[in-house]
Amino acid sequence: MGTTIPSVATLNKKTMRRGKKLEHDQQLQLCETVAEQAIYDRLCSIGDDKAPEVDGYNAVFYKKKAWPIIKNEVIEAVNEFFITGTMFRGINCTAVTLITKVASLATIKEYRPSACCTVLYKIIAKVLVGKIQKVIASIITETQLDSFLGEEL
């Protein structure tokens, strides 16, 4: 499903130390707890048409059926990640599957890969992206920023 390479280049620590760094307040910003509304907003940004995830639940279940019951646990799990930097293995679980692009299949190219992550993982990822977008412009060039994000902030 791809090319193989004999080894992966490692980062040069000396070069990394010479680069720009986040200010202390920016570092703290990345670790701040996340408000309930921000978490719910990220949940609502997950499409209703997404397939059930590896845990068997889709975003609609979280948003429209169970939120009043599970919101405290979801908020606690998201904030625990940002406080401790660790994630429970069950949350960080992804199943990769192949989905057909056409009705009659002839080659592997007629499939597309789909990663099924847990809804909680998607919420954390969306919160993390939002936090990074607030500070990334201070450590990379505008050219890198455009190519990294693919659009203006």
Side-chain angles (χ1 to χ4, degrees), residues 119-138:
V119 173
L120 198 49
Y121 182 90
K122 288 180 181 181
I123 294 169
I124 291 170
K126 287 176 174 284
V127 169
L128 186 57
V129 166
K131 288 180 175 231
I132 290 171
Q133 284 179 332
K134 291 178 182 175
V135 299
I136 200 166
S138 67

Side-chain angles (χ1 to χ4, degrees), residues 103-120:
S104 61
L105 302 168
T107 68
I108 193 72
K109 291 180 182 180
E110 293 171 341
Y111 288 92
R112 67 177 176 85
S114 177
C116 298
C117 308
T118 65
V119 173
L120 198 49

Side-chain angles (χ1 to χ4, degrees), residues 18-109:
R18 286 194 312 256
K20 295 180 182 179
K21 296 177 181 75
L22 292 177
E23 299 294 328
H24 184 69
D25 62 319
Q26 292 174 310
Q27 294 172 16
L28 292 175
Q29 207 176 346
L30 293 174
C31 300
E32 286 178 349
T33 58
V34 187
E36 175 184 333
Q37 189 60 48
I39 293 170
Y40 186 70
D41 290 345
R42 297 313 182 279
L43 170 61
C44 290
S45 72
I46 301 170
D48 288 349
D49 60 344
K50 299 293 181 185
E53 309 306 337
V54 293
D55 57 8
Y57 300 103
N58 62 12
V60 173
F61 173 79
Y62 280 72
K63 288 187 245 186
K64 298 182 180 173
K65 303 291 182 188
W67 185 249
I69 299 165
I70 64 170
K71 74 177 178 179
N72 291 335
E73 286 83 3
V74 171
I75 293 164
E76 183 180 342
V78 170
N79 282 316
E80 183 177 329
F81 170 77
F82 287 101
I83 292 167
T84 67
T86 60
M87 186 181 295
F88 177 64
R89 284 182 189 250
I91 296 170
N92 189 9
C93 177
T94 302
V96 178
T97 187
L98 295 175
I99 299 173
T100 60
K101 293 181 184 178
V102 295
S104 61
L105 302 168
T107 68
I108 193 72
K109 291 180 182 180

Side-chain angles (χ1 to χ4, degrees), residues 132-151:
I132 290 171
Q133 284 179 332
K134 291 178 182 175
V135 299
I136 200 166
S138 67
I139 58 171
I140 65 174
T141 67
E142 190 174 322
T143 306
Q144 290 172 313
L145 186 62
D146 290 344
S147 64
F148 178 75
L149 297 176
E151 59 185 50

